[in-house]
Amino acid sequence: MLTFFTTAKPFHGHIGIIQRNAIQSWKSLHPEIEIILFGNDEGAAAVGRDFGLRHEPHVECNDRGTKRLDYMFARAQAIAQHGILCYINCDIILMQDFRRAIERVRALHPEFLMVGRRWDTDVTAPLAFARERHFRPIPRVERDESPDWRVQRDESPHWQEDLRQLALTRGRKRTAEWIDYFAFTRGLYGADMPPFVLRVFWDNWLVWKALDAGKPVIDASRAVIAVHQNHDYSYHPQGKAGVWSGEEAGLNGQLAGGWRHLRTIADATELLVPEKLKPNQLRHWSAAKRYARQAGRVLYYDVWHPLWFAVLDLTRPLRRALRPR
């Protein structure tokens, strides 16, 4: 069927709640789903036991102790039980539409990458999954509940319908730059994957790499509602700025090879719609916009910027002579 692999933050407080929500949603997709949880973060071993996951505590890290994505991709592809894998961020809830999307794409393509946009949604309490025998009760988070979500006290078979309705009515659908799951066939990513850490730009490189290898890249946004549970960035010492624009983020950009090796969901070769897979006719427009943006930067920084300062240097004696004394 499918092997998910992920890594988590420490399982406490609100982030612990939403990570458990995500993991349980993946398990609910099919009895043969495999989940590999990388990292020795607080609570990871216990969650692995509670939910029957394959826990891989060892992860190669950079010199700052940040987990390396290339190690996880290589290790997951080496040990996965299934030929289709999915790296997914540990705050993303999936529903049965994801499983159906995988089955449809697999029936048409022997090799592929499937990605899709996410819906940012406030979820602050455990969802009412039907518990299995090996599940332990999950404590509620000690904070005010979001006005957008009131979890039911009793188990409900309707959690997917309720959550889907919440996401569609009160959630925010993110743009094509936000990529949180990558379903792909084993072997798509090999030893040439740079030693990225989990900051930014690695996700755009993964899309570029599949395209560069000539593999179909499927945009499943119209067929899959992937729910991102909103959270803060307190896990990083510099908060959100550290994640998005810190030194490690800049290094990821260099490792990726710059803007020429960065793509988004809008660059997918095909769209998964209710009726069929169809070519993404607008992907060339996405490429045109990307080159136009870069051309604007080049024009400003490489042409206009040096020219302006050259003019200032040439006219400096005249400007000094005309300066009032």
Side-chain angles (χ1 to χ4, degrees):
M1 178 53 189
L2 175 66
T3 295
F4 287 101
F5 64 105
T6 190
T7 188
K9 303 170 186 68
F11 284 87
H12 57 69
H14 177 242
I15 198 69
I17 293 285
I18 65 175
Q19 290 182 147
R20 289 183 175 94
N21 282 343
I23 290 169
Q24 290 182 87
S25 77
W26 312 338
K27 284 189 66 69
S28 71
L29 295 180
H30 192 276
E32 296 180 8
I33 288 291
E34 177 188 29
I35 301 175
I36 304 171
L37 176 61
F38 283 99
N40 201 25
D41 305 89
E42 180 184 347
V47 167
R49 291 192 300 270
D50 291 349
F51 298 132
L53 316 181
R54 174 163 184 165
H55 181 218
E56 290 279 317
H58 175 72
V59 180
E60 295 291 332
C61 299
N62 67 3
D63 56 1
R64 298 187 177 189
T66 309
K67 299 170 190 172
R68 279 176 39 190
L69 199 73
D70 61 315
Y71 173 84
M72 290 186 278
F73 267 70
R75 178 64 176 161
Q77 290 179 92
I79 65 176
Q81 295 178 4
H82 305 294
I84 299 178
L85 296 90
C86 181
Y87 179 81
I88 184 167
N89 289 335
C90 204
D91 51 15
I92 299 296
I93 294 176
L94 298 176
M95 294 171 271
Q96 288 298 326
D97 54 9
F98 182 85
R99 179 184 59 81
R100 291 190 292 268
I102 289 287
E103 292 173 347
R104 292 174 59 195
V105 174
R106 180 176 58 179
L108 295 172
H109 292 300
E111 297 179 290
F112 64 87
L113 169 67
M114 188 181 88
V115 291
R117 292 161 67 178
R118 77 187 200 195
W119 292 78
D120 287 355
T121 308
D122 286 333
V123 178
T124 61
L127 300 186
F129 298 97
R131 293 188 180 91
E132 298 180 10
R133 286 176 297 177
H134 60 273
F135 289 178
R136 296 178 184 173
I138 301 173
R140 296 175 63 83
V141 64
E142 296 298 326
R143 59 178 250 183
D144 292 337
E145 290 185 352
S146 160
D148 286 348
W149 181 255
R150 296 291 185 268
V151 69
Q152 299 178 23
R153 295 282 180 177
D154 298 325
E155 295 178 4
S156 168
H158 306 298
W159 71 267
Q160 295 192 47
E161 293 83 352
D162 296 341
L163 184 60
R164 180 186 299 274
Q165 183 66 18
L166 176 67
L168 293 176
T169 57
R170 300 190 182 184
R172 176 187 180 189
K173 189 176 185 180
R174 283 294 193 170
T175 57
E177 292 77 20
W178 302 76
I179 321 173
D180 287 76
Y181 65 83
F182 304 80
F184 62 95
T185 44
R186 191 199 307 266
L188 180 56
Y189 299 105
D192 59 343
M193 185 173 181
F196 293 121
V197 294
L198 285 167
R199 291 296 179 254
V200 292
F201 298 126
W202 60 267
D203 48 354
N204 307 112
W205 184 90
L206 290 176
V207 178
W208 169 82
K209 180 61 178 177
L211 291 168
D212 187 64
K215 308 303 181 185
V217 176
I218 314 303
D219 176 6
S221 303
R222 301 186 187 184
V224 174
I225 303 296
V227 176
H228 170 256
Q229 302 166 95
N230 292 328
H231 57 82
D232 60 27
Y233 290 85
S234 58
Y235 60 88
H236 192 285
Q238 283 80 48
K240 186 174 183 179
V243 174
W244 291 95
S245 56
E247 185 176 340
E248 289 180 316
L251 180 58
N252 266 8
Q254 295 175 21
L255 291 171
W259 68 276
R260 294 181 186 275
H261 291 175
L262 303 178
R263 299 294 183 269
T264 74
I265 297 170
D267 293 290
T269 58
E270 297 176 58
L271 305 175
L272 183 64
V273 297
E275 302 82 14
K276 59 180 179 179
L277 271 173
K278 67 176 187 177
N280 179 15
Q281 304 290 356
L282 294 180
R283 70 187 183 97
H284 302 295
W285 173 240
S286 174
K289 289 193 295 183
R290 179 170 54 253
Y291 277 88
R293 286 194 301 269
Q294 188 61 22
R297 296 187 186 105
V298 169
L299 182 64
Y300 180 77
Y301 290 106
D302 294 352
V303 179
W304 171 247
H305 204 258
L307 181 61
W308 171 247
F309 281 100
V311 170
L312 290 178
D313 289 339
L314 290 172
T315 59
R316 185 173 288 113
L318 178 61
R319 286 185 287 111
R320 285 178 177 174
L322 295 177
R323 187 178 302 164
R325 299 183 183 276

